[in-house]
Amino acid sequence: MEAKLSQSATTAMPPAWRQWIAKHAIALYPVLVILALVVFFAVQNPNFATFDNAMNIGRQSSVLLLVALAGTMVIMIGSIDLSVGSIVTLAGIVAALTIDSAGPVVAILAGIGTGLVVGLINGVTLISLKVPSFLVTLGMLSILSGIANMICGGASIMFMDLSLTNFVNAELIPGLPTIILVALLSAAALTFIAFKTVLGRYLFAIGGGEIVAANSGVPVNRYKVYAFMLSGALCGLAGVLLTAQVGAGTPAAGANMLLDSIAAIVMGGTALSGGIGGPQRTILGVLVIAILSNGMDVTEVSSFTQEIVKGLVIILAVASTIDRKKYPFIK
Amino acid sequence: MNTVVPALALSGVSKHYGPVAALRAVDLTLARHSVLGLVGENGAGKSTLISIINGTVLPTDGELRVNGVAVTPGSPADAARAGIATVFQEQGLISNLHVFENMLLGREAGFSRAGILGRSAMVGLARDVLSELGIAIDPLAVTGELAFGERQLVEIAKAFALGRIYPVEPIVLLDEPTSALSDKETQILFNSIRRWREKASIILVSHRLSDVFAVCDHVTALKDGTVNGHWAVADATPDMLHEAIVGRPRSAGYYKEAEQREDLGEVLLDIRSVSVPGQLREVSLSVRAGEIVGIAGVLGSGKTVLANAITGAVRPASGEIRVGGKALKPGSRADALAADVGFVPAERNIAGVIGMHSIEWNMTLPSIRSFRVAGLPFLSGSRQASVTDGWIARLRVRTPGRAVQIRNLSGGNAQKVVFAKWLARGIKVFVLDDPGRGLDVGAKEEIYVLLRDLARQGVAIVLVSDNLPEIIGLSNRIITLRSGAISAEINAPANDKPAETAVVPHMV
């Protein structure tokens, strides 16, 4: 009888490693996609799996990581920030305009400040006019693009002071370009904020159930504004870094960041409906996109084909990463 | 002959999920043209049994017979052909379809010629069924625009429509039909069930014993997956049923009346002529430390509005609400919470808990600031864990651990987490809107024990509820509301509880 009992108990409970996999499946899928991509490209071209190329991938994806982290903080509360790319553009232009006259520190602060103000406007518009974030930030995207083009008049803004450019390409830690370091530190800081601070807990709570959060004493409106300000400031920083990296402020700098960042966020496992996921997940999503782009560059795939492949991989990756049990239906 | 062969007979039905037995050798008989009540706590096996009868769950063992003929177990199509139809707790209607389309959903094949639906035949049949049942709903109405109670009637009509398509007398399974209905809607439903009995055989699953006595002919009690009693309702008493469901005799104090405090403290909550245009008129009321004040009223009487005004969710146009002597900013939830007003909302899953988050995250949400480490902006993980574990143990929340998502808990355990949210924070005033909603008898009793504990600790409690026996049993005083104004104040000391008949006239 006892033997029978223990036998039925083991058949009912899957072994520990399978439970662990089931529990972490959502985080493991992107890792598997990354491994598959790495193996595939390494076989295609021996230059892919090298330290130098890994640093290339890092340099190419640092700005995208910052933008995707920014978007994550807003998607966590169940809203969306479509103005991320246009903030990158405008903040980059502001930094390019100020660096020669006021120096790199002011340029950095001006860029971040630009993003912060835009985020504040996004958030306050959302809560005071009760316009959905999708539309508020869609409008903001258009406004900022217009402003950026007016400032630039169609051309790029060049600058002479190369201190910032040298700084982001330098290696504060030998072997690791500073821009990658900044992006990784930002990711770590945001993960800490998400899971170890009142701010993070409130953002998750708002995304998980706004009414419950309000009933529990969360100042919902104020924290929504904080989420958009955080997003704006991060995009501002991303804009400054991009301008430093490129060596100019250009009116199209952030144009293709929006879709890549949303794809990275969702692939990482943060639900568009909010409440679950987080910045740590987004890192993996960004890696998928970065490795894919770099790998196709290295294997000399034409840029048109790249777009098609990227679209397919995004759909397939999201199809396999979203934990569909959490969604009663998909629209 | 018909009276001898039951409409539905189950014998030896068992269902095992791995090592867990959800049902063990259940025998059940539904006589033709009768109403059988099926009662039991959450987890007693009622839902599993219903699912086996309608074919959506395959039993491990056992036999089903409809009118003496064996039905293939685990086949929803076979069950439907035998006339078995289920009216679910969560409504199974599609809100953007018309009533007639919902009633015949999945049965369109019989109305279709070369893939084109014969709309007029469908509408005609739906209208026929509705009028036969005495339900005054237009089959061409859009389902989503109907009131909740009306949609429930459409579900029932859907079950009867089945009897028109297959030449059988329907066996209708009603799963908790009254849990979301107002008293008036419940009355209408019960009157209808009594009439429909002539055309169908009905099983009524319910948490409420009053439902059983109102409308059932027989009653079967389930406990831990076995039949723990079967009676003709005429021979049963509420105490007998209660004992069969809970497995222990109904103590004289289901509502812990003996623990009711009569020595009350200072006034903690003071409501002074609060008005909300069209909803509340000049309501004044004070609640003392240790006192439970019950707010009774019908739907639309303003009782929920009053609860919302206290918690700051609704802004009164005039009047004042004081907590501990200090006036609250009207319509400010933040101010009410800062004054230590806790709130248990009626819609637990929308307003009480975040289903996708863990017990820990839910429980610590109102008090999260107190978990910061030494004024620094980060949170202590170990302290959150130990506080959460402490409340899980004290409130006996049944869960494998604090990391479990709330959505995986039963209603009673989720409600305990809502209580713990506030207990972990510390409160002076506790406002509860229908705290027993959707809970079984045992879970409710545990919630009542918690309320008595809180009163003993000097919390002032405002209890809004649709459940009159609950209000009478728990409250020191009962305030009845009618059309937004206080219509009576009735004392309810432990040794002299008013009868329901003394309260109801002030509500209607």
Side-chain angles (χ1 to χ4, degrees):
Chain A
M1 179 65 194
E2 235 167 46
K4 209 174 164 189
L5 264 180
S6 63
Q7 196 185 9
S8 59
T10 43
T11 49
M13 291 292 281
W17 64 271
R18 286 182 69 173
Q19 285 186 53
W20 188 87
I21 286 184
K23 198 176 161 199
H24 295 94
I26 194 168
L28 284 173
Y29 278 126
V31 173
L32 290 179
V33 173
I34 290 168
L35 284 178
L37 288 173
V38 169
V39 169
F40 176 77
F41 288 122
V43 169
Q44 300 283 313
N45 187 328
N47 292 328
F48 176 79
T50 58
F51 180 78
D52 282 351
N53 194 46
M55 288 304 111
N56 265 336
I57 293 174
R59 266 191 294 267
Q60 288 161 0
S61 60
S62 292
V63 172
L64 176 62
L65 177 56
L66 285 172
V67 176
L69 289 169
T72 306
M73 303 316 278
V74 173
I75 287 179
M76 260 166 65
I77 65 168
S79 298
I80 196 159
D81 188 350
L82 299 179
S83 64
V84 283
S86 57
I87 297 177
V88 169
T89 304
L90 187 64
I93 289 169
V94 168
L97 285 171
T98 47
I99 190 164
D100 281 341
S101 54
V105 174
V106 173
I108 292 172
L109 294 178
I112 295 175
T114 303
L116 204 61
V117 170
V118 174
L120 178 68
I121 297 171
N122 276 338
V124 170
T125 311
L126 171 82
I127 61 165
S128 57
L129 301 185
K130 304 213 183 300
V131 182
S133 62
F134 186 94
L135 290 166
V136 171
T137 58
L138 185 64
M140 186 57 83
L141 183 160
S142 180
I143 293 168
L144 297 185
S145 302
I147 294 175
N149 279 311
M150 273 166 68
I151 295 175
C152 292
S156 297
I157 305 220
M158 313 303 284
F159 51 89
M160 310 301 290
D161 185 340
L162 291 182
S163 53
L164 204 54
T165 303
N166 293 334
F167 175 74
V168 298
N169 290 321
E171 297 177 351
L172 224 55
I173 296 171
L176 186 69
T178 309
I179 192 167
I180 301 180
L181 183 68
V182 171
L184 288 180
L185 285 177
S186 304
L190 285 169
T191 304
F192 183 83
I193 288 173
F195 292 97
K196 289 284 174 188
T197 68
V198 172
L199 170 63
R201 188 64 58 82
Y202 280 1
L203 296 186
F204 273 123
I206 292 168
E210 206 174 312
I211 299 172
V212 180
N215 279 334
S216 305
V218 178
V220 171
N221 282 341
R222 184 144 49 89
Y223 276 83
K224 278 186 175 175
V225 176
Y226 290 164
F228 280 93
M229 288 172 73
L230 199 53
S231 168
L234 282 163
C235 291
L237 174 63
V240 173
L241 294 178
L242 187 60
T243 289
Q245 206 174 26
V246 175
T250 69
N256 54 10
M257 297 247 154
L258 173 62
L259 292 181
D260 277 359
S261 65
I262 291 177
I265 293 164
V266 177
M267 266 195 273
T270 299
L272 281 175
S273 48
I276 42 176
Q280 80 290 3
R281 295 265 177 78
T282 298
I283 303 171
L284 294 175
V286 169
L287 269 181
V288 173
I289 289 191
I291 290 173
L292 189 62
S293 301
N294 173 278
M296 287 193 292
D297 282 342
V298 170
T299 51
E300 292 170 355
V301 176
S302 89
S303 64
F304 303 132
T305 314
Q306 284 202 18
E307 285 181 51
I308 295 170
V309 172
K310 199 158 85 178
L312 289 173
V313 169
I314 287 170
I315 293 172
L316 288 176
V318 171
S320 58
T321 51
I322 292 183
D323 184 358
R324 232 164 298 274
K325 275 178 286 182
K326 291 189 174 124
Y327 296 81
F329 47 78
I330 304 281
K331 284 203 169 178
Chain B
M1 188 65 197
N2 279 348
T3 49
V4 183
V5 178
L8 176 73
L10 274 65
S11 54
V13 168
S14 299
K15 178 66 190 176
H16 296 265
Y17 293 101
V20 182
L23 289 175
R24 275 176 295 203
V26 169
D27 296 335
L28 185 100
T29 310
L30 171 64
R32 284 193 76 184
H33 300 162
S34 76
V35 183
L36 172 69
L38 187 61
V39 295
E41 292 192 275
N42 281 339
K46 297 177 308 227
S47 299
T48 310
L49 193 58
I50 290 296
S51 304
I52 286 174
I53 295 172
N54 68 27
T56 50
V57 164
L58 178 69
T60 316
D61 202 6
E63 196 189 43
L64 272 78
R65 285 178 177 273
V66 172
N67 295 322
V69 181
V71 179
T72 320
S75 160
D78 232 38
R81 269 190 293 274
I84 296 170
T86 320
V87 178
F88 287 105
Q89 210 168 345
E90 297 93 22
Q91 296 198 19
L93 299 177
I94 299 171
S95 56
N96 57 343
L97 294 186
H98 296 108
V99 166
F100 78 93
E101 288 167 320
N102 266 309
M103 283 174 62
L104 298 169
L105 196 65
R107 317 281 164 225
E108 293 86 351
F111 299 90
S112 150
R113 291 282 171 278
I116 297 162
L117 288 178
R119 178 184 162 106
S120 59
M122 291 174 74
V123 175
L125 188 139
R127 179 165 286 135
D128 239 38
V129 171
L130 286 167
S131 73
E132 192 186 312
L133 296 176
I135 298 172
I137 294 173
D138 181 0
L140 292 171
V142 175
T143 311
E145 290 167 7
L146 300 176
F148 188 92
E150 291 178 316
R151 294 206 300 274
Q152 188 119 40
L153 291 173
V154 172
E155 283 251 32
I156 292 166
K158 184 178 169 183
F160 277 86
L162 202 62
R164 292 300 194 83
I165 296 165
Y166 304 116
V168 286
E169 224 175 45
I171 295 172
V172 183
L173 314 177
L174 298 166
D175 191 2
E176 300 279 355
T178 61
S179 58
L181 297 186
S182 70
D183 289 348
K184 189 165 165 249
E185 288 170 325
T186 303
Q187 272 320 311
I188 294 171
L189 176 66
F190 284 171
N191 289 337
S192 307
I193 288 178
R194 286 184 201 109
R195 260 186 296 119
W196 299 336
R197 185 159 42 186
E198 289 156 27
K199 305 186 193 80
S201 313
I202 299 169
I203 295 182
L204 178 94
V205 178
S206 183
H207 278 320
R208 300 184 186 177
L209 297 186
S210 56
D211 291 358
V212 171
F213 287 100
V215 78
C216 294
D217 303 303
H218 296 90
V219 57
T220 296
L222 283 182
K223 168 142 181 67
D224 299 332
T226 59
V227 172
N228 204 28
H230 179 82
W231 299 270
V233 167
D235 303 332
T237 67
D239 285 354
M240 284 160 63
L241 283 185
H242 188 274
E243 183 172 348
I245 292 168
V246 184
R248 56 181 178 271
R250 179 190 173 109
S251 58
Y254 179 51
Y255 297 108
K256 314 294 157 214
E257 287 160 27
E259 292 170 43
Q260 181 165 321
R261 269 181 68 163
E262 306 295 345
D263 56 318
L264 303 173
E266 65 199 284
V267 171
L268 279 185
L269 174 68
D270 196 7
I271 300 169
R272 294 178 188 175
S273 32
V274 162
S275 295
V276 176
Q279 295 181 295
L280 272 189
R281 279 184 294 143
E282 298 279 319
V283 169
S284 295
L285 151 73
S286 61
V287 185
R288 295 175 175 278
E291 187 177 29
I292 301 178
V293 171
I295 312 289
V298 296
L299 215 66
S301 62
K303 60 187 197 293
T304 293
V305 180
L306 178 59
N308 287 335
I310 301 170
T311 58
V314 163
R315 187 197 177 108
S318 62
E320 194 179 54
I321 297 172
R322 290 176 166 270
V323 171
K326 187 180 152 291
L328 297 183
K329 210 161 93 191
S332 164
R333 222 185 288 246
D335 208 40
L337 293 162
D340 301 325
V341 178
F343 179 41
V344 175
E347 301 277 353
R348 185 166 48 247
N349 293 320
I350 296 167
V353 287
I354 299 174
M356 67 172 80
H357 287 176
S358 65
I359 294 178
E360 179 172 336
W361 277 23
N362 273 283
M363 209 181 271
T364 54
L365 190 56
S367 53
I368 192 69
R369 287 179 179 281
S370 68
F371 292 97
R372 286 181 296 186
V373 176
L376 293 169
F378 58 87
L379 302 169
S380 160
S382 59
R383 202 139 47 82
Q384 288 179 68
S386 65
V387 167
T388 307
D389 284 345
W391 285 109
I392 287 174
R394 280 178 67 180
L395 302 193
R396 286 194 283 278
V397 180
R398 278 175 281 280
T399 169
R402 62 175 178 274
V404 170
Q405 288 182 322
I406 295 277
R407 75 168 97 227
N408 296 325
L409 298 184
S410 70
N413 284 307
Q415 190 71 312
K416 287 182 191 172
V417 174
V418 179
F419 272 64
K421 281 169 68 168
W422 300 108
L423 301 183
R425 188 186 177 281
I427 45 170
K428 289 199 189 98
V429 173
F430 207 19
V431 180
L432 302 107
D433 191 356
D434 213 357
R437 181 178 290 190
L439 304 189
D440 61 55
V441 176
K444 273 184 187 165
E445 190 166 0
E446 291 185 87
I447 295 295
Y448 300 153
V449 172
L450 286 176
L451 280 178
R452 290 293 182 211
D453 272 357
L454 283 170
R456 193 175 310 117
Q457 289 160 31
V459 174
I461 296 169
V462 177
L463 173 71
V464 175
S465 175
D466 289 332
N467 182 342
L468 204 49
E470 177 179 278
I471 288 209
I472 293 170
L474 289 173
S475 305
N476 295 72
R477 254 187 315 143
I478 299 160
I479 305 288
T480 56
L481 285 178
R482 188 164 50 203
S483 328
I486 292 182
S487 53
E489 182 175 334
I490 301 160
N491 278 318
N495 53 12
D496 187 20
K497 290 287 181 187
E500 284 186 51
T501 48
V503 180
V504 172
H506 301 288
M507 296 164 60
V508 292

